[in-house]
Every structure is written in C-alpha cells, then in structure tokens.
Amino acid sequence: MLRLDFSNVLQEEIGERGLKISEIEECTKRAVSLLSEKKYDELDFINLPYQQVEKVKQIGERVKEYEYFLVLGIGGSALGPRVIMESLSPFHNLKKTPKVFIYDNVDPLTLKQIVEIVDLKKTLINVISKSGSTSETLASFLILWRMVRDRKLRVNEHFVFTTDPEKGNLRRLASEYEIPALEIPRNVVGRYSVLSPVGLLLAEAIGVDSSYLLEGAREVSEKAFSKNIGENPMACLASCLYMIDILRERKIVVFLPYSDRLKTLSEWFCQLWAESLGKDGKGTTPYPSIGTTDQHSQLQLWMEGPEDKVILFLSVDRHGFQEEIPEEFHDIEGLRFLGGHTLEELINTEQLATEMALWMNKKPNLKIILPQIDASTIGQIFQFLQVTTAMAGMLYGVNPFNQPGVELGKRLTYGAMGKRGFETEGEEVKNYLKRNRFII
Ligand code: PA5
C-alpha cells in the first residue's frame, strides 16, 4: 500500500508554521467519525472496488476488435480515463491498437482533427455522461451520431454508452436503439467515478486488467474507516491539508508528482479537490504541477514567494527502467559526477533535494510514496485521493459531492443556445451583451 510522510508539516520539523501532532491526531479521529456517519449516499464510491466487472470485460474484448476507440466525455467522465491511459500505457497510440482519443473540451478544431484521423468504420465511440445532459458531450455525440448514420453504419456497432442506470438522455437512447450501455452506479458522481465503468472500460480497451485497479483500490477502501492514524493515511492527509489552511492560512495546495506518467493525475486531482471543496467561501486552491520540470519553473515562488502554499509531493520509488548515465568526460566535473548513476536515482534525488530545501526553509510539505506505477497502485492512488477529499469536505462542513456553483453558467449557456425552459436566462445573456464595455 502506498504511504504518507507527514513529518514536514509538524512543528518539530518546521517550527511555528507547522502543526502539532496531537492536533493532527484529534482531527484525524474527527475526520473518520464524520465519514462513519455516512451522511451522504454518494459515499458509495468507496464500494466500487467490490463491483462485478464481467460486463466491462466483455465489452472491453469487443473494443479490441476496433482500430480506434473514441471517448466523448468531460470533467469526471474524461480526466480519470485519461490518467489510466497515460499512467499505464504511455505513448499508447504510437505503440498499440486500438488507438485511443479522448475528446472532452469542445474545441472544434480538435474534433475535426480526430475525425480526420479515425476511420469511423473501424471506430467504437464510448459516450460517457452520468447525467446524460452535459452540453459539451452531447454536442460531440450528435456530430458523431450523424457521421455514423451518414456512412450507413449501424449505430449499435459503433457506440457504447456509460451512463446512469436508469435516467437521462443516453439511457433512453440506449434502449431505443439497442446501444450497449454500462452503468455508473446511481450514487456515484462524476469526479468520484473513475473506478466505475467510466475508467474500467478504457483500462480493458488498452489491455489493462481492470481487476487490478479495483484490487488496489480495495486496500484503501478497507482502511478508510480505521480510527487508527497509523492505518488511515487518508484521514491524516485530509486533516493536515485542512488544518494547514484553517490554522496557518495556507490556501494553495501544490500537487507535485515526480513522473511524466502522473502528469494528468495532477489535473484529475485538481478537479476533484476544487469541485468538491470550493463552497461557502471555503476550500483551498489546487495547483497542478510536475517534478522535476517545475523545479525549473515554479520552485523559486514556492521557496521565496508568499507564505500561502503547502506542497504535496507524490514520489515513485521504482520507475521501471534503469538507464545508467555513462561515465564520460572525466576531466569535466560538471559532466563527470553524473556518470554511473541512473535516471531513476537522479529523479528521486531531485525530489528529495526539493523536499529538503523546502524543509530547510520551513515550508510545509507532505509526501505520498508510491512503490511503483502499475494498475494496482493507480487504483490505490485514485481511491486514496477520493477518500481524502471526501473527508476534507466533511471537515470543512461542505457537501463534497455537489457543485452548485457550476449551475448558473450551465443555465446561461442553455438560455443562449435556445434550450426550452431557459428563456429568462437567454434574455439575461442578450442584456449582458448590450452593456457598455471597456475594451481597448
Ligand atoms: O464531478 C462531476 O460531477 C462533474 O465534473 C461531471 O463529471 C461533469 O460535469 C460531467 O458530467 P456528466 O458525466 O454528467 O456528463
């Protein structure tokens, strides 16, 4: 199981900017008690590791018959699948089939380029939407639906839906057109859904056994309710991040994995943390980062800029490849000293040195330690961060599963695009556009 090192947020290590261990212990217990109240049905994501995966595997086998696999979805319906692909099958499209494209943002040119590359006759399109009503996803679905039909292809051979078990537009179309459809359990919401068929089908499609993802996640689920701080790093992390905000006013969480394969995990975590906690004036701002690259870009700010951040490292013990740096140029010290070491040694030493430099400057930082990157540890880290975020929400006293703040923008889009029932919003948009603007 992955581990958490929280030494560098303790007062013993960084003085008064840190936290007392007794406070962390107390808060950890409180986090677990709050979770144990099971106030929200959406906590069902904790049970996802126990689901049956036969149907996912069955459809996964079908996906492998296609040359292209196109995923349409956004937010929680796209970021998780992307992490699975980039962490477990890097450079996938250059090496394997089916070639996978994940289209989330509604950038018109991106879609144009994807449809120029894929041959629709050899493409399976996975439309992922829990609600079945997200404009971005439905717009791209409509475009692809029309293209498939224009080419006289059978829709039930080229589409598979991943959606709510009972409700929504996609569920309705699935039964009307006999489109194969996977279920996102009723109580599981978008950003906590990666371990449902949302992420599992993509895993199977790229040749990753989804059972291993679930096996790893299960180890975390089993510990989520433990009151023993030594067994519950999720509760400890939630408490540290919460208290460093409340008591020390550190309002920015820099998420800093040391592996290219975890770059998109930063984006996934940022959505999870921001959308779950940013409510009622509460929450902290997640900041996606990557080591060692950002040591040459952001570290200066973290070391000497405003005292408003906490750094959350994610280190990887074994990177799975031991490229030794050759011993050359013995008379040039700047090159000589690298010889005989490996790239793994270098990246891990850089992580350690950065953590230590922050510690020497008394900057709070924490570290999640992954032994290696594989399906099991990726399952663990997903569940680890999901449980941590849900607990943090409960400590803040906000509902970590809703997103009321995004509704207004959606309604105004509906109004502007002429959706029935949103005429008032449509008028508001028109009035907004009539206002005097200061544009130079
Ligand atoms: O976490 C969430 O609920 C959201 O970010 C959703 O994932 C996102 O809005 C997409 O929603 P849907 O899956 O219903 O299309």
Side-chain angles (χ1 to χ4, degrees), residues 74-77 128-132 134 137 189-191 271 275 403 410:
I74 197 163
S77 295
I128 309 181
S129 176
K130 174 70 196 298
S131 60
T134 302
T137 307
V189 298
R191 57 194 175 276
Q271 185 215 355
E275 214 172 24
Q403 54 280 334
K410 273 190 199 171

Side-chain angles (χ1 to χ4, degrees), residues 174-193:
S175 60
E176 217 168 301
Y177 291 87
E178 295 178 350
I179 311 276
L182 291 162
E183 298 182 357
I184 307 172
R186 189 159 53 94
N187 292 325
V188 171
V189 298
R191 57 194 175 276
Y192 294 83
S193 70

Side-chain angles (χ1 to χ4, degrees), residues 211-246:
S211 318
Y212 290 119
L213 281 164
L214 297 180
E215 194 180 282
R218 208 174 300 140
E219 288 188 46
V220 175
S221 290
E222 273 156 21
K223 297 196 164 122
F225 295 94
S226 171
K227 283 212 163 80
N228 178 346
I229 186 170
E231 280 183 5
N232 199 334
M234 296 76 74
C236 179
L237 179 58
S239 301
C240 291
L241 294 176
Y242 167 72
M243 287 169 64
I244 209 89
D245 168 20
I246 300 296

Side-chain angles (χ1 to χ4, degrees), residues 34-317:
L34 288 166
L35 190 76
S36 307
E37 284 175 14
K38 301 206 172 140
K39 186 171 157 195
Y40 301 102
D41 294 339
E42 292 89 340
L43 282 168
D44 243 8
F45 78 86
I46 296 179
N47 300 319
L48 285 174
Y50 306 95
Q51 76 199 273
Q52 300 300 322
V53 288
E54 282 78 20
K55 192 165 175 196
V56 171
K57 284 184 175 291
Q58 206 186 331
I59 298 185
E61 279 310 306
R62 261 198 64 208
V63 183
K64 291 179 193 153
E65 293 162 15
Y66 292 78
E67 211 158 298
Y68 304 97
F69 184 53
L70 172 54
V71 176
L72 309 179
I74 197 163
S77 295
L79 290 170
R82 186 164 277 147
V83 177
I84 291 176
M85 184 162 89
E86 294 192 6
S87 63
L88 299 177
S89 192
F91 297 104
H92 179 86
N93 288 351
L94 297 179
K95 298 193 288 196
K96 294 183 187 160
T97 51
K99 302 206 181 307
V100 179
F101 296 90
I102 300 176
Y103 180 67
D104 55 355
N105 200 5
V106 279
D107 186 317
L109 194 65
T110 309
L111 187 64
K112 176 177 183 283
Q113 283 164 338
I114 292 174
V115 296
E116 275 169 8
I117 295 169
V118 304
D119 174 354
L120 281 182
K121 284 199 284 307
K122 300 175 186 165
T123 304
L124 185 64
I125 303 160
N126 182 201
V127 188
I128 309 181
S129 176
K130 174 70 196 298
S131 60
S133 62
T134 302
S135 302
E136 292 90 334
T137 307
L138 292 186
S140 54
F141 159 68
L142 287 168
I143 292 170
L144 267 307
W145 181 267
R146 172 63 67 85
M147 286 179 172
V148 166
R149 298 203 71 153
D150 282 353
R151 284 167 180 69
K152 311 270 181 278
L153 302 169
R154 294 163 71 97
V155 284
N156 58 2
E157 285 175 8
H158 291 274
F159 283 95
V160 50
F161 295 160
T162 306
T163 190
D164 187 274
E166 289 148 26
K167 295 184 302 205
N169 298 313
L170 293 180
R171 184 53 61 187
R172 178 175 158 190
L173 293 179
S175 60
E176 217 168 301
Y177 291 87
E178 295 178 350
I179 311 276
L182 291 162
E183 298 182 357
I184 307 172
R186 189 159 53 94
N187 292 325
V188 171
V189 298
R191 57 194 175 276
Y192 294 83
S193 70
V194 61
L195 295 167
S196 77
V198 168
L200 302 187
L201 181 60
L202 189 281
E204 293 288 339
I206 59 170
V208 171
D209 185 343
S210 58
S211 318
Y212 290 119
L213 281 164
L214 297 180
E215 194 180 282
R218 208 174 300 140
E219 288 188 46
V220 175
S221 290
E222 273 156 21
K223 297 196 164 122
F225 295 94
S226 171
K227 283 212 163 80
N228 178 346
I229 186 170
E231 280 183 5
N232 199 334
M234 296 76 74
C236 179
L237 179 58
S239 301
C240 291
L241 294 176
Y242 167 72
M243 287 169 64
I244 209 89
D245 168 20
I246 300 296
L247 302 179
R248 304 284 174 261
E249 293 192 28
R250 301 241 161 207
K251 299 274 175 208
I252 298 171
V253 180
V254 177
F255 188 79
L256 184 58
Y258 271 67
S259 166
D260 285 344
R261 295 164 70 185
L262 301 177
K263 194 170 178 179
T264 46
L265 185 76
S266 274
E267 286 173 37
W268 175 85
F269 170 73
C270 288
Q271 185 215 355
L272 178 69
W273 192 258
E275 214 172 24
S276 299
L277 307 183
K279 285 152 210 178
D280 305 335
K282 298 175 186 170
T284 49
T285 302
Y287 182 113
S289 212
I290 181 87
T292 65
T293 309
D294 282 342
Q295 289 174 209
H296 302 270
S297 155
Q298 307 294 315
L299 181 58
Q300 174 61 36
L301 176 78
W302 306 337
M303 287 289 280
E304 296 182 2
E307 292 293 336
D308 54 2
K309 295 168 206 66
V310 52
I311 314 293
L312 178 55
F313 288 99
L314 180 51
S315 71
V316 180
D317 286 341

